[in-house]
Amino acid sequence: MLSAYRANEQTEYIVPFLFKHMTTFPDTPYRSYYDYLIAYNYIQKEQYDLAMLYARRALESKLVVEGISIREESASMLVRFSDRPWEQVGALRILSQSDANRHEDLIDLLYETAQTYNSIGRWTEMYQVYLQFLSLEQDIESNRYKQVLHWVSRYNSDRSWTFESLNELVQNIQSAITQKSTSRLLRYRAKDSFFTMSLNQELFDEHSSIRTFNITPFLNRSVVRYASTIDSRSNEQEAFLRTWGWSYRIPTWYLYFRKIDFPSDSSIHGHWEWAGIFFGDTL
């Protein structure tokens, strides 16, 4: 009868039929499968609270029906539709331990869930999901992977290099250049995402350098100059300081500053950081 309802798209009869069947046969070994079907049908009707009730019941299932794990499918439902963050994280753990070939969209699901946590300000849960994402994502050269790694690195850092005022940050860097103090310059740059690249590179280009660039020999052997103010093409979110005299091959460097978008830490959100260097003569 159930298959007939499904074949004829008479979905309004499925849930009543399953309720009656489970009442008549309370000890049926397929009860968790029926709970899953009920949850699925409630989702189709966008009755998510009821759907989650039955998905939770099906979560302990050990049944595999037509190659489909009821437990894993129920976990997928909870990840997508539960309004309980801790429950979503637990369901994601279940999926992360499952056969990857049967959950090819798990990586996307992890990323989407983290973005949901981001939108509602649940930073701890977002961090936990991001850790799972990083542990499972194999494409470590993708922009998404690098962006997630950046966020996690920042979440774990002390963020001590940030300045509330862009002017104060720029003045400190100008002073360090004048004094040829590489120790100060190293102290001011972002510790979790500092980059060096030519102007025609993409920000996450694999050839851009993170942390490894050594500015010391350039500063020590050159007479470096800098503009008195930030470049006119700067805006409220990004700023550039033109400097020159670093080397005979590429004498002009633009120091790049950006406003920090990190609402998980209100003490630095909206502050400024020295995020990188663009090599070249024209922005």
Side-chain angles (χ1 to χ4, degrees), residues 213-260:
F213 179 70
N214 184 8
I215 201 171
T216 301
F218 293 94
L219 185 62
N220 287 343
R221 68 189 180 203
S222 305
V223 179
V224 179
R225 299 286 185 261
Y226 49 79
S228 59
T229 60
I230 60 174
D231 193 88
S232 60
R233 284 158 288 192
S234 303
N235 55 54
E236 294 182 356
Q237 301 299 321
E238 300 176 305
F240 304 87
L241 178 68
R242 185 175 184 270
T243 63
W244 62 94
W246 293 96
S247 72
Y248 73 91
R249 294 185 62 187
I250 308 178
T252 302
W253 299 1
Y254 281 90
L255 309 189
Y256 171 71
F257 309 93
R258 68 182 166 209
K259 183 173 284 190
I260 297 170

Side-chain angles (χ1 to χ4, degrees), residues 85-131:
W86 64 90
E87 186 171 63
Q88 291 176 303
V89 172
L92 282 168
R93 289 198 184 101
I94 292 173
L95 293 179
S96 68
Q97 297 165 1
S98 66
D99 183 350
N101 292 326
R102 292 165 59 187
H103 285 282
E104 295 180 355
D105 64 342
L106 175 58
I107 301 300
D108 291 337
L109 190 58
L110 286 165
Y111 186 79
E112 292 167 7
T113 302
Q115 301 319 297
T116 299
Y117 286 139
N118 181 43
S119 67
I120 61 176
R122 301 297 295 252
W123 315 120
T124 300
E125 290 85 357
M126 181 179 174
Y127 174 71
Q128 292 172 343
V129 174
Y130 266 163
L131 288 181

Side-chain angles (χ1 to χ4, degrees), residues 33 48 89 102 121 152 156 161-162 175 177 223 238 265 277:
Y33 175 53
Y48 299 120
V89 172
R102 292 165 59 187
V152 169
N156 287 327
W161 62 87
T162 67
S175 173
I177 291 174
V223 179
E238 300 176 305
D265 184 351
I277 300 172

